[in-house]
């Protein structure tokens, strides 16, 4: 049973159920048929069983919105910018809208923390940072030609319409082209066959965050292109077949959802499933403290593709005996060492770690002072046991070892990619790469560097498993179980009530289970005392009154 952060008022409310029961029944109507307002608004086609958005997407693929009929698209485009100009003759405001989104700016101001973050500002402990490495990093930018800090963010013709709207599967952006498409791509053909964004469009970039498939995210990789019901009950290609925008709703090209700060526009579980979705009330009480994902995503990297779990840059630079680039793979073919990047480890079917999370994240940025004697948190999530807006969330914890300024005690954004002699992947000189990268970032570099252990966390929210595979009670409430209650801030006396030995678990009796977990909370004892005092006081008052009357 979850620890109640406001148990006093909750108990007081429960102590007067007679007053509330009538109103509760009146408001709830038929409790057995709860359907959220959102669920009622999602129109489902009676023939296909798909949502309205999905039917429209499907019809689009059948040619209902075929753009080849437009004469302006029946030409050979010399540059992708020429194609964008053609698009804008009809979609007049669309590029303007795109240029005001974080997908374009890679910048976000967090009002809660005061930090200006976004992909172009934050550091990570896999591919480290964007600054001075733009031609490689911006292969996933929704624009053309961002190769350095001279990129014109106001030039609407630089907006890449096709990366999100390609439906042919032929549109490619090479990994080191500053976002420019492969010269072999038939731009006119792709433009004539554009459609609403699908999972494939989103996964081109988001599955490959960190430079390759499943590096960054534990719950997002190419296995979600065609997932089955076991991998994800919502994106199952033979079931609901949700696209990303089913939950990440979009207004004026601004796609909802952010790991930087809670976005009220992105759909959450309760938008469709109700706040009390379980038949057993005991399970519903957990939703006050646990995110739905905590129980319903029992493991990550479940799609047959391992996710990177650690990255050690300090070992980079080693070569073969012949002075060639050294690449080492494990038995499954995963690269465990590369001269450019150092050592990696991987994980599959990984049990998440669990932390309190209130929707806000804070980052260690270039220029921030760090303590190299401890593991440096590249990011940290807000929330704790006393935060009423926080819940326990599953996360992927990624560990690393990366370059830092050993005199200034700041993390370094090294210059990794490029044909110039200061790029690390060209000369394997950390000093030159550090000096160039920090100069590009406008920050000082002392000339002395070392390597520091780091860690980062990423929330797990995709690959929802079938209900039958949800985390079971004993997986969390056994000694050494999933949840480290002490680390989560629970007091020792409460932990005693939350941890049970195996022989305490009832196998079939629901009543026995309820009795097992219904330990009295010390914060509720005062209610019993209050009732007792009121009763005794009432009796005493009656007795005294009668005696006075006599």
């Amino acid at each position: 049973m979850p620890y109640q952060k406001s148990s006093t008022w909750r108990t007081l409310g429960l102590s007067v159920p007679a007053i509330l029961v009538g109103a509760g029944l009146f408001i709830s109507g038929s409790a057995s048929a709860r359907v959220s307002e959102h669920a009622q608004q999602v129109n489902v086609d009676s023939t296909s069983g798909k949502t309205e958005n999905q039917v429209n997407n499907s019809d689009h693929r059948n040619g209902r919105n075929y753009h080849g009929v437009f004469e302006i698209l029946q030409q050979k485009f010399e540059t992708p910018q020429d194609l964008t100009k053609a698009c804008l003759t009809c979609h007049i405001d669309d590029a303007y809208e795109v240029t005001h989104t974080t997908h374009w700016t890679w910048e976000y101001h967090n009002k809660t923390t005061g930090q200006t973050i976004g992909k172009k500002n934050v550091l990570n402990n896999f591919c480290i940072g964007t600054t001075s490495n733009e031609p490689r990093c911006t292969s996933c930018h929704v624009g053309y030609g961002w190769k350095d800090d001279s990129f014109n963010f106001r030039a609407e013709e630089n907006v890449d319409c096709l990366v999100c709207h390609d439906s042919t599967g032929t549109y490619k952006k090479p990994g080191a082209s500053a976002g420019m498409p492969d010269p072999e791509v038939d731009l006119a053909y792709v433009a004539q066959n554009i459609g609403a964004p699908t999972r494939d469009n989103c996964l081109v970039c988001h599955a490959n965050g960190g430079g390759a498939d499943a590096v960054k995210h534990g719950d997002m990789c190419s296995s979600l292109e065609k997932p089955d019901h076991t991998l994800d009950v919502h994106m199952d290609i033979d079931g609901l077949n949700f696209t990303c925008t089913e939950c990440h709703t979009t207004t004026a090209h601004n796609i909802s959802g952010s790991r930087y700060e809670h976005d009220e526009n992105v759909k959450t579980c309760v938008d469709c499933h109700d706040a009390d979705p379980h038949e057993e009330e005991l399970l519903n009480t957990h939703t006050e403290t646990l995110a739905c994902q905590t129980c319903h995503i029992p493991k990550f990297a479940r799609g047959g593709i391992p996710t990177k779990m650690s990255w050690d840059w300090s070992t980079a630079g080693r070569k073969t005996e012949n002075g060639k680039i050294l690449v080492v793979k494990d038995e499954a073919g995963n690269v465990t060492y590369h001269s450019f990047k150092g050592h990696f480890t991987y994980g599959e079917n990984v049990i998440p770690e669990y932390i309190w999370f209130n929707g806000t994240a804070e980052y260690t940025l270039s220029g921030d002072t760090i303590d190299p004697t401890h593991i440096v948190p590249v990011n940290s999530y807000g929330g704790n046991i006393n935060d009423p807006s926080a819940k326990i969330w599953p996360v992927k914890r990624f560990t690393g070892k990366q370059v830092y300024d050993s005199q200034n005690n700041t993390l370094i954004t090294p210059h990794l990619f490029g044909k110039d002699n200061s790029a690390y992947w060209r000369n394997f000189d950390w000093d030159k790469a550090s000096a160039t990268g920090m100069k590009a970032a406008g920050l000082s570099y002392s000339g002395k560097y070392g390597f520091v252990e780091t860690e980062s966390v990423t929330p797990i929210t995709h690959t929802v498993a079938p209900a039958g595979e949800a985390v079971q009670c004993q997986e969390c409430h056994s000694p050494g179980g999933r949840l480290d209650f002490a680390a989560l801030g629970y007091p020792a006396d409460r932990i005693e009530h939350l941890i049970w030995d195996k022989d305490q678990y009832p196998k079939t009796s629901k009543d026995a289970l309820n009795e097992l977990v219904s330990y009295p909370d010390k914060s509720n004892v005062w209610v019993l005392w209050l009732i007792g005092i009121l009763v005794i006081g009432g009796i005493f008052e009656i007795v005294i009154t009668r005696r006075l009357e006599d």
Side-chain angles (χ1 to χ4, degrees):
M1 200 170 184
Y3 181 71
Q4 301 296 341
K5 288 171 277 187
S6 57
S7 57
T8 299
W9 291 107
R10 181 178 178 86
T11 303
L12 186 59
L14 291 174
S15 67
V16 288
I19 299 175
L20 302 178
V21 66
L25 290 174
F26 176 77
I27 294 171
S28 64
S30 176
S32 62
R34 290 183 218 162
V35 180
S36 72
E37 180 181 352
H38 167 75
Q40 294 172 345
Q41 293 174 347
V42 176
N43 298 318
V44 178
D45 181 73
S46 59
T47 303
S48 65
K50 296 182 177 181
T51 67
E52 183 178 29
N53 285 345
Q54 293 163 339
V55 171
N56 289 339
N57 289 350
S58 177
D59 290 343
H60 187 98
R61 298 295 180 267
N62 291 333
R64 188 166 294 182
N65 290 324
Y66 177 60
H67 278 50
V69 298
F70 300 115
E71 184 176 354
I72 197 170
L73 296 180
Q74 298 171 4
Q75 61 174 298
K76 178 178 175 58
F77 294 96
E78 296 299 325
T79 69
Q81 286 91 341
D82 291 338
L83 171 60
T84 298
K85 291 177 182 178
C87 296
L88 294 179
T89 59
C90 289
H91 301 278
I92 299 173
D93 297 324
D94 286 18
Y96 175 81
E97 291 176 354
V98 171
T99 60
H100 288 76
T101 69
T102 54
H103 273 81
W104 174 260
T105 63
W106 283 9
E107 191 165 72
Y108 178 81
H109 180 70
N110 189 323
K111 295 179 181 179
T112 303
T113 65
Q115 288 188 317
T116 298
I117 45 183
K119 187 173 179 179
K120 76 175 185 180
N121 297 312
V122 301
L123 297 175
N124 57 61
N125 55 349
F126 29 96
C127 49
I128 303 183
T130 300
T131 303
S132 78
N133 302 303
E134 287 88 352
R136 178 64 183 87
C137 299
T138 58
S139 61
C140 272
H141 183 238
V142 291
Y144 302 127
W146 185 359
K147 60 182 179 180
D148 53 35
D149 59 6
S150 67
F151 179 69
N152 186 356
F153 284 91
R154 295 185 178 181
E156 295 183 1
E157 64 269 22
N158 283 335
V159 170
D160 183 352
C161 307
L162 303 184
V163 70
C164 293
H165 292 285
D166 168 43
S167 69
T168 68
T170 65
Y171 187 71
K172 309 293 181 186
K173 299 179 75 158
S177 62
M180 299 295 285
D182 189 314
E184 299 300 317
V185 171
D186 187 336
L187 297 174
Y189 171 70
V190 176
Q192 291 168 10
N193 292 278
I194 57 91
T198 65
R199 285 196 305 273
D200 290 352
N201 296 118
C202 301
L203 290 171
V204 164
C205 288
H206 289 284
N208 292 284
D213 197 5
V215 172
K216 176 180 178 180
H217 299 282
D219 61 340
M220 201 186 312
C221 64
S222 59
S223 65
L224 288 179
E225 292 173 357
K226 297 180 179 180
D228 59 16
H229 188 72
T230 302
L231 181 58
D232 193 289
V233 298
H234 300 110
M235 291 186 266
D236 173 18
I237 58 172
D238 295 320
L240 294 171
N241 199 22
F242 276 15
T243 61
C244 301
T245 53
E246 201 72 49
C247 296
H248 296 275
T249 56
T250 303
T251 303
H253 286 84
N254 188 37
I255 302 172
S256 63
S258 171
R259 70 182 185 279
Y260 298 134
E261 190 171 25
H262 175 64
D263 186 344
E264 294 182 352
N265 295 313
V266 69
K267 293 178 185 175
T268 64
C269 304
V270 296
D271 286 320
C272 292
H273 292 287
D274 189 291
D276 296 317
H278 308 97
E279 292 182 2
E280 295 187 21
E281 187 58 29
L282 176 64
L283 295 179
N284 288 330
T285 62
H286 283 66
T287 62
E288 184 173 324
T289 302
L290 302 180
C292 302
Q293 293 86 336
T294 299
C295 293
H296 290 282
I297 307 180
K299 296 179 181 179
F300 61 84
R302 297 190 297 112
I305 299 174
T307 184
K308 272 195 177 74
M309 296 297 293
S310 70
W311 189 325
D312 185 355
W313 282 94
S314 70
T315 62
R318 300 173 187 174
K319 298 182 179 180
T320 66
E321 295 179 355
N322 298 324
K324 303 294 184 180
I325 297 299
L326 176 62
V327 180
V328 180
K329 298 182 180 181
D330 61 19
E331 295 180 354
N334 302 308
V335 176
T336 58
Y337 180 83
H338 196 294
S339 297
F340 285 173
K341 303 176 181 180
H343 280 95
F344 315 112
T345 62
Y346 299 82
E348 281 191 87
N349 298 305
V350 182
I351 294 177
E353 293 190 31
Y354 300 94
I355 63 173
W356 290 103
F357 181 35
N358 63 10
T360 297
E362 192 161 3
Y363 286 76
T364 299
L365 304 175
S366 290
D368 290 351
T369 301
I370 63 170
D371 181 358
T373 64
H374 294 84
I375 296 175
V376 177
V378 174
N379 67 349
S380 58
Y381 285 172
N384 56 58
I385 194 171
N386 297 312
D387 184 345
S389 65
K391 292 188 177 184
I392 296 173
W393 271 79
V395 297
K396 171 187 174 181
R397 189 176 300 277
F398 191 96
T399 60
K401 199 170 186 180
Q402 62 198 90
V403 65
Y404 83 107
D405 188 316
S406 56
Q407 181 169 306
N408 292 333
N409 285 335
T410 56
L411 292 177
I412 288 174
T413 303
H415 178 43
L416 300 171
F417 173 84
K419 297 181 179 179
D420 56 290
N421 192 45
S422 62
Y424 182 77
W425 291 345
R426 186 175 180 87
N427 62 25
F428 297 99
D429 188 326
W430 280 114
D431 184 51
K432 287 184 178 180
S434 298
T436 301
M438 295 300 274
K439 181 179 180 180
L443 298 169
S444 64
Y445 170 57
S446 69
K448 297 180 180 180
Y449 69 89
F451 292 88
V452 64
E453 293 184 46
T454 57
E455 65 178 7
S456 61
V457 289
T458 305
I460 299 297
T461 191
H462 305 94
T463 64
V464 175
E469 297 181 17
V471 175
Q472 300 300 300
C473 303
Q474 61 268 30
E475 295 184 60
C476 292
H477 292 283
S478 296
R482 287 172 176 255
L483 295 183
D484 185 340
F485 290 105
L488 289 168
Y490 286 86
D493 58 341
R494 183 61 181 163
I495 295 175
E496 290 181 7
H497 294 160
L498 291 170
I499 300 297
W500 319 319
D501 293 327
K502 291 183 179 180
D503 58 1
Q504 288 182 286
Y505 285 96
K507 294 183 179 180
T508 57
S509 171
K510 175 182 174 182
D511 291 337
L513 179 60
N514 284 327
E515 182 179 355
L516 179 64
V517 299
S518 297
Y519 292 103
D521 192 328
K522 287 187 176 181
S523 62
N524 299 337
V525 173
W526 71 271
V527 177
L528 301 176
W529 279 100
L530 178 61
I531 293 173
I533 291 171
L534 290 175
V535 171
I536 295 172
I539 295 172
F540 181 77
E541 183 179 3
I542 292 172
V543 172
I544 295 298
T545 301
R546 287 183 177 179
R547 287 187 176 182
L548 290 175
E549 290 177 351
D550 292 339

